[in-house]
Each structure stands twice: as structure tokens, then as C-alpha cells.
Amino acid sequence: MIHSPGSPAHPRDARVGSVPTWDDAPCPVLVLDAHGRVVGRNRAARLLVPGLPSDDGSSWEPPGWLSDAHRRHTGGTAEGAPAGAPSGTIGDRVFEARPTPTADGVAWWLVDDTDRRLAEAALVRAQERTDTASLLFSTLLSSLNVPRCAEIAARMAADHLADAAVLITPPVGRRYAVTHARRGEPVVQETRQVDPHGVPGLAEALRGFPPVPARWINPDDLPGWVVPDGFAGPVGSVIVTPLPGHGVPAGALILLRSGTEQAFTPDEEVFARLFAARAGTALSAARLYSEQTAITATLMRDLLPPALHSVHGVEYAGRYRAAADHERVGGDFYDVHPGADASEETFVVLGDVAGKGLDAAVLTGKIRNTLQALLPLASDHQQVLGLLNGALLNSHHARFATLVLASVKRHGDTVRLRLTSAGHLPPLVVRADGTVEEVDTHGTLVGALPTTPGRTAETDLAPGETCLLYTDGITEARGGPLGDELFGEHRLRKALAECAGMPGEAIVERVQMLAAQWLGSGRHDDMAAVAIGAPRRAAPGGAGRPGR
């Protein structure tokens, strides 16, 4: 604060005799009388408000903020006064006023506060932009869907940076995905053919080149497709900036302001580029995720178990549950390969690879593909197992697998099965009277020993009877009242006995449900089950194939 000199001066003259007064003070000083009129001013004040008709400035009305402060000061009340020293503008500058009593009124020392206010405003704007950028980035990264991410980016750009925003992503063929957003309005997305060379700087932005300064772009050169429907007034200012991506550009962003709004400032252009960089990062992440998801879905398609139904008059049903609820594949698998017609056997395989999760699923895919290639030899189970065993021993995998093979063919109302186990649990047959029989087949697991000796067994299914193939994830499900007891084969046999006469779909669903209830929330291995059933009534042969 600047203090007034100790010797008062005549209000109309800044000098009295040889005593220096505030006329040489660096800050403007205005003396206001009891009526709020200017009755004195120093040199700095005369420079601040030049050209007054009288030297003392009595004809000049002080600004309202200073008159209000003077009135409160002379009235001895602070009611309604803002906290701190009174402040306001004179011309294009901001001043704080500090009072000093004089013989003719009050001398108001005007301390220039413009630079501090500008610095504070710049700091506030910088903080707001930082907060906005953080919000924008977290919001953008919340979506890994490309159209949704483009929608969010365009809408937030229109809300925070401009009156309208247009986001263009790289073309697919000759068509571009274009997202239009107006402040406060729904976002519009479309795919269309556009000529990027028709928009100044757009072709370069789509290739990742630095943006063209807004002052170089003539809004009148914009084609009609750039301006969103309902845009208020003519375009007055334009920014075209690239959306940098991971290695390749993610697109371009066009920001529009109407002719009635202030043109983009250099600081706003810098902030727009910052926003575009973050939007480009989010779009690239979304695009990368989409591509990886598509690749994963394509690869996963051959790892997922098929949907089963009736084939050549025989009923098939299957259920699979991975070891982890968030996983879709694992080490258990099954397949049904129908014969060319009802006169040929249908080849069924159910297997269990050591381990679980994606690593085990990769080997199941290898086994399934190998068995697919061996279908011409499917009638000879021992030969198929021997060739599969050799393939696994020669691979880089150190895992082994157990399998059960079934060749199925319908003879009138009866279904005949040839079953071979390779280190797997023996199949169980549910007879019409509720008896549960174990098929006498056994063998050596594949992928571990040089040979795979085994025994093939045959059995017939009368109408309404079912053969169940299952993996040890069901019988070894650990749970129960204390959470430490296996579900076991005896509980499985009891459940199957209660399912006599039920269709295969109902049997596998009940088995999976009982195992899940036994587990509760405990951990478990992969669980798979396939039911092969003879229909209760004769059904005409069909050429259906299991869905993949």
C-alpha cells in the first residue's frame, strides 16, 4: 500500500509552497469532496484521464464503483461493501482504491492491479483447462467402442471448445465416418463420401500433418457437409486439427464458432490441439481394442463348444462350464461329426486337456483340428488315438489329454454305440428303468506315452435311454456343507437314476446344475458333459449338422 505524505495539501493544487505533495506519486490520486465530486488530482491521474475540460477535473464523473466506495466511506458504513479494498476499471485498466482523509474530502490512491488480475485470470483459465482436459481424457477412455468414443469426443469438444464440432475418422474404402455435434444438441453420426481436399487443412490433418492456424482458414471455403444442421449463424472461426494415434492418425477434428462469437485465440488453439491429442489416443485405443476383439472372436469361434441337436435320428446335447466365470474356453471340449448320411456313423469326441484357461484351450484347438483331419479314419478308434498321440508328442506342448471316442449309428429304434476311453472316465448309460451302467472301456491318455493301448466297448440304447460322457470337473467338484467334499461318482449316478426317460438336454442341464449347487462359490475345474440319446419314438432320419 502507498501511504500519503504527512503534510496535507490544498485540494486544487498538488503543490503548496516548496513542500512536495503527491503530485509526483507514481500512482493516480483523485480527491473527492463530500458530494463525490472530483476536486483534485495529481499528474498520474491527469494522464489517466486526459482531455478533461477543466484542470481540476471537477466536470469528470468518477466511475460508479469509486463513487459507491466514497459514499460508503464518508457515510461511515460498510453495509453492502465487498470484502477487501474497493476495485474496478478505469479505461482498460483495473485499480484498487485506498482512501486517505484530507481537508477537502478523501484522497483515493488508485493502485494499478491489472497485471495481477490478468495473471490470476490466466491461472484460473489454466486450472480450468487442466481440470477439463483431465475430465475429457478420463471420459474418453471410459469407452472402447470406436463410434461411441467418437460421439463422446465430438460432444465434449462442442461443449467445451466451440459451438460445434465435426470428427472425421480414417476412411473405409471411400467412405468416412463423420460425427457432428452442436452444443446442447444430440450427436449425429453418419457414413458418407467426402472430399477432404474441399476443407482447408483437412486432407493434411487426416494424414497427421500439423494443423493449419485458424487465422489462415476462410470460413466461407467450408463445404456444406461440414456445418451441422441448425448451426446458429454463419461460421466465423474454424480450427482443423489432426487426431494423433498410435503410429497412424486416428482422424481429424473440426471446431466451428459462429460469426457472433469471439474468434479462436492462440491459447484456445493450443488447448484444442491438446484435446485432439487425447481424443486421438482414446480413439486409437478403442480401434485397437475393436480389432483385437474381432481377431479374438474369430479365433475363439473354433475353440467354443458347438451347439448340439438331433443328427440322423439320434439326440445329442452338451453343456460346458469353464473353470473361471469370466472365461469362455478352457481345457474341456467336445465335438460331434455327423456321417455323410444316416448309413454312416457319427463320430463323437469328449476330452479333457491337463490345465485350464487359454493355454489349455490352445491345445484343445490343436486336438480338435487334428481329429477333424482324421475323420476319414474315425471308424478305427485305436488308429485315430495313435495318430493323435504321435502328433501331440511331436508338438511343443508338454501337456497331455484324456479322451473318450464314440461312433454312433441308429438301427431302427435302437442306437448302437462303440466307445473307447483314452485315460478318461468311463461313460455312463441311463436305462429306461433308472439303472445306471458303466461302459467297460479303458485306455491310456494321449500325449504322454509312445503308445495308447485301449479297449473299445459296444452298447445299445433302447428308446428313451441315454449315454452320458463327462469330464472329471463334475465328479471332482469340491463343495458340500463344509466345502471340502467331492461331488463324486456316486452322487452323479444317483442324479442320473432320477433322470430316467428324460431327454438328453434335460439330463446334462441337471447334472451341471447339481454340480454347481454342490460347489457353491468355491473354485472348480472345467466341466463338460455330452448326452447321446435314443428318442422315445421313432424319428425320421435327417441330415442335420451340429451348429458351430
Side-chain angles (χ1 to χ4, degrees), residues 166-177:
V166 184
L167 192 148
I168 304 100
T169 54
V172 177
R174 296 184 177 182
R175 300 183 69 83
Y176 292 79

Side-chain angles (χ1 to χ4, degrees), residues 291-353:
E291 292 174 353
Q292 292 177 339
T293 301
I295 293 172
T296 301
T298 301
L299 297 175
M300 192 75 72
R301 194 175 297 122
D302 288 335
L303 298 178
L304 293 173
L308 305 183
H309 48 74
S310 179
V311 177
H312 300 325
V314 181
E315 293 180 348
Y316 298 92
R319 281 289 184 275
Y320 173 76
R321 181 181 179 185
D325 292 337
H326 64 277
E327 294 177 343
R328 301 178 63 194
V329 296
D332 290 5
F333 67 96
Y334 55 79
D335 273 313
V336 173
H337 302 283
D341 53 47
S343 66
E344 296 187 7
E345 292 179 320
T346 294
F347 184 61
V348 182
V349 57
L350 177 139
D352 183 359
V353 171

Side-chain angles (χ1 to χ4, degrees), residues 27-30 40-50 52 110:
C27 63
V29 180
L30 293 176
R41 56 184 180 144
N42 68 347
R43 181 183 299 110
R46 289 193 293 272
L47 295 175
L48 178 65
V49 189
L52 293 178
L110 304 180

Side-chain angles (χ1 to χ4, degrees), residues 347-544:
F347 184 61
V348 182
V349 57
L350 177 139
D352 183 359
V353 171
K356 47 183 171 285
L358 186 58
D359 289 341
V362 171
L363 184 54
T364 68
K366 180 180 179 66
I367 294 175
R368 292 173 71 182
N369 290 336
T370 303
L371 291 172
Q372 180 92 24
L374 295 175
L375 284 180
L377 308 175
S379 60
D380 188 342
H381 291 183
Q382 292 300 326
Q383 187 177 12
V384 169
L385 290 174
L387 292 173
L388 177 62
N389 186 63
L392 293 182
L393 289 175
N394 292 327
S395 71
H396 67 278
H397 295 283
R399 300 174 185 268
F400 57 85
T402 65
L403 297 102
V404 58
L405 309 181
S407 292
V408 186
K409 185 177 179 181
R410 180 165 178 163
H411 296 274
D413 290 343
T414 302
V415 174
R416 178 158 296 173
L417 290 83
R418 292 189 301 111
L419 297 153
T420 303
S421 172
H424 201 82
L425 297 171
L428 298 176
V429 176
V430 185
R431 299 300 181 185
D433 61 359
T435 303
V436 178
E437 299 177 358
E438 180 180 298
V439 179
D440 186 17
T441 176
H442 55 79
T444 305
L445 51 83
V446 294
L449 300 174
T451 59
T452 57
R455 181 180 185 280
T456 299
E458 293 188 4
T459 188
D460 291 336
L461 301 178
E465 296 181 341
T466 301
C467 177
L468 182 72
L469 316 179
Y470 60 97
T471 61
D472 59 8
I474 294 174
T475 54
E476 295 181 3
R478 189 176 297 275
L482 300 179
D484 60 350
E485 188 176 355
L486 299 181
F487 184 70
E489 187 175 332
H490 65 287
R491 289 188 178 84
L492 176 61
R493 286 173 176 262
K494 181 180 178 181
L496 291 177
E498 297 170 352
C499 295
M502 295 173 60
E505 184 71 25
I507 292 176
V508 295
E509 184 174 348
R510 178 163 177 77
V511 168
Q512 289 276 27
M513 180 189 71
L514 291 175
Q517 290 176 344
W518 184 257
L519 280 167
S521 59
R523 300 175 62 182
H524 61 89
D525 199 356
D526 299 321
M527 296 187 290
V530 172
I532 306 171
R536 277 186 169 275
R537 297 178 182 177

Side-chain angles (χ1 to χ4, degrees), residues 2-27 29 31 41-44 46 102 107 109:
I2 300 176
H3 298 281
S4 61
S7 301
H10 192 281
R12 298 187 181 275
D13 190 354
R15 296 181 182 275
V16 178
S18 61
V19 180
T21 63
W22 56 69
D23 193 51
D24 295 326
C27 63
V29 180
V31 180
R41 56 184 180 144
N42 68 347
R43 181 183 299 110
R46 289 193 293 272
T102 66
W109 297 70

